[in-house]
Amino acid sequence: MELRRNNLGDSERRAWIRLIRTPAVGPRTFRQLLDRFGSAEAALDALPGLQRRGRAPVPEIPSMDAADDEIAAAIGVGATPVALCEPSYPALLAEIADPPPLIYIRGRADLLTRPSVAIVGARNASANGRRFAEEIAAELGAEGFVVVSGLARGIDGAAHKGALPTGTVAAVAGGIDAVYPPEHAELHARIGTDGLLVTEHPPGTVPTAHHFPARNRLISGLSSGVLVVEAAPQSGSLITARLALEQGREVFAVPGSPRDPRARGANDLLRQGAVLTESAADIVEALRHQTFRPALRTEHPPAPEPIEIEEDSEPVSAHDRLLSLLGPAPTGVDELVRECQMSAASVHTALLELELAGRVERHPGNRVSLIA
């Protein structure tokens, strides 16, 4: 089901914040709850019962005051909240498997309406790599593209600097007011004015290691393609490239010397079919036939009516049947419906309860797996 496209009222916006900040409710679970109950307010009412049925402790749902405090903090740092259902939400980001239900932005929101390319690479980039990233970012800007990156040291910072005159977007791993790395304080401030800062975290969030992989999906999700300039094997830049492929985006790579370990990741991507890139023209040529989607679709089925689930409306054994069919490898939900001989509605309800209990995990392609 697709969400209605309309601006949230104050009450429902507060409910969205409370729901996404509730423990065990991630982006995919949030969407499942909205699909099932029709609104965040209805989902909040149903959440305690769902978790009890999933044999998990009742969650500590943030209060309305906590949601108001978050909104006030955002206003205080000049950030604007944008919900997934709102027309101003980035169209490309809305298409990925796990878009953040709520983002905060600061700066030029109009940059989200233009075609964009991500540039990522090594933090310990070579001088040549940084110069190339800055130059190709400027070239892409001259061709009308917004350059997206992660504001990290090395390639990211160089790409942002090259694209500042024409438009750049920085997806950050912490709150929109959290400057990281410290040496990018001036660049962070300039992007917040002349470019655009984007995050899924509330103001005041200090970035930690587990925030960065989730940030990488925003970089690729905001872009039509991802260019890797320099990257070591198993680096965050390669995670971004893999996410781009999963999201159906184009991957580009700059070839490098086989003697430089920083080139191994990009060279591996080329062996796997990435577009060899020596100039902005290579990217423009590959993307020129794509149709950029500057606004979210406006034709949508109506949201479902909120439903009530009685405490004993589903047998507890439904959980056991599903758990017995699941393992660490992802399994399609349609296959579970066939195997367990329950209705699709019963399976989806039981899976949602197990997900909220932290016992199953969702994957792209409507698949789930057991959490050890």
Side-chain angles (χ1 to χ4, degrees):
M1 191 210 80
E2 296 187 63
L3 297 174
R4 289 180 185 270
R5 301 302 169 194
N6 57 343
N7 291 313
L8 293 179
D10 291 342
S11 178
E12 181 66 2
R13 186 180 302 280
R14 186 187 295 120
W16 274 55
I17 291 174
R18 295 174 65 205
L19 185 59
I20 193 58
R21 306 298 177 220
T22 298
V25 178
R28 287 193 176 97
T29 311
F30 183 99
R31 189 62 181 272
Q32 290 285 323
L33 288 166
L34 251 66
D35 285 352
R36 182 161 295 277
F37 296 103
S39 72
E41 290 180 306
L44 286 170
D45 290 339
L47 197 57
L50 288 170
Q51 288 212 307
R52 278 195 298 268
R53 290 168 50 77
R55 306 175 194 176
V58 175
E60 185 176 341
I61 298 172
S63 66
M64 289 186 287
D65 286 343
D68 287 337
D69 289 344
E70 181 173 320
I71 294 172
I75 294 171
V77 297
T80 301
V82 182
L84 177 60
C85 67
E86 296 184 303
S88 55
Y89 193 92
L92 285 172
L93 187 60
E95 294 179 357
I96 70 174
D98 54 349
L102 185 79
I103 58 173
Y104 285 103
I105 62 174
R106 186 172 77 192
R108 292 178 52 194
D110 64 287
L111 295 179
L112 297 175
T113 67
R114 289 168 47 189
S116 54
V117 174
I119 300 178
V120 296
R123 287 174 169 79
N124 63 333
S126 67
N128 283 338
R130 291 195 298 272
R131 183 167 60 252
F132 181 87
E134 186 168 349
E135 290 174 353
I136 199 170
E139 293 171 7
L140 286 167
E143 293 287 345
F145 286 91
V146 171
V147 171
V148 180
S149 198
L151 202 58
R153 298 179 179 94
I155 297 300
D156 288 24
H160 286 307
K161 290 174 184 176
L164 259 174
T166 53
T168 187
V169 173
V172 296
I176 215 159
D177 55 336
V179 177
Y180 185 85
E183 59 265 35
H184 279 175
E186 182 180 351
L187 182 58
H188 183 280
R190 288 191 63 191
I191 294 173
T193 301
D194 301 328
L196 184 72
L197 297 168
V198 179
T199 183
E200 63 184 310
H201 299 289
T205 302
V206 177
T208 58
H210 76 274
H211 290 141
F212 288 92
R215 183 280 311 266
N216 292 344
R217 91 188 192 287
L218 300 190
I219 296 173
S220 56
L222 286 164
S223 311
S224 297
V226 173
L227 170 65
V228 178
V229 177
E230 290 180 341
Q234 300 179 345
S235 65
S237 300
L238 295 190
I239 293 174
T240 306
R242 174 179 58 78
L243 291 168
L245 289 173
E246 292 177 358
Q247 294 164 356
R249 313 295 157 86
E250 193 71 73
V251 174
F252 305 87
V254 178
S257 169
R259 297 181 182 275
D260 188 345
R262 289 170 296 199
R264 285 181 58 194
N267 288 345
D268 285 345
L269 288 174
L270 290 169
R271 278 190 285 269
Q272 296 164 24
V275 177
L276 190 150
T277 304
E278 296 177 316
S279 70
D282 297 317
I283 296 174
V284 174
E285 174 66 21
L287 295 180
R288 66 175 179 158
H289 297 302
Q290 290 191 4
T291 301
F292 179 67
R293 297 168 293 283
L296 291 169
R297 300 182 185 91
T298 56
E299 295 296 327
H300 301 279
E305 292 296 321
I307 62 173
E308 298 291 336
I309 294 183
E310 300 293 336
E311 286 294 315
D312 298 322
S313 63
E314 296 289 349
V316 174
S317 60
H319 299 142
D320 298 325
R321 272 186 273 172
L322 287 170
L323 291 172
S324 69
L325 294 170
L326 288 170
T331 302
V333 174
D334 290 342
E335 183 179 348
L336 291 174
V337 172
R338 289 193 300 269
E339 291 290 333
C340 70
Q341 297 181 337
M342 294 190 299
S343 69
S346 298
V347 170
H348 284 288
T349 297
L351 285 174
L352 179 58
E353 293 164 354
L354 290 169
E355 187 179 3
L356 289 167
R359 305 186 71 183
V360 301
E361 179 181 8
R362 292 190 182 270
H363 303 273
N366 197 28
R367 300 177 301 158
V368 293
S369 67
L370 192 65
I371 297 176

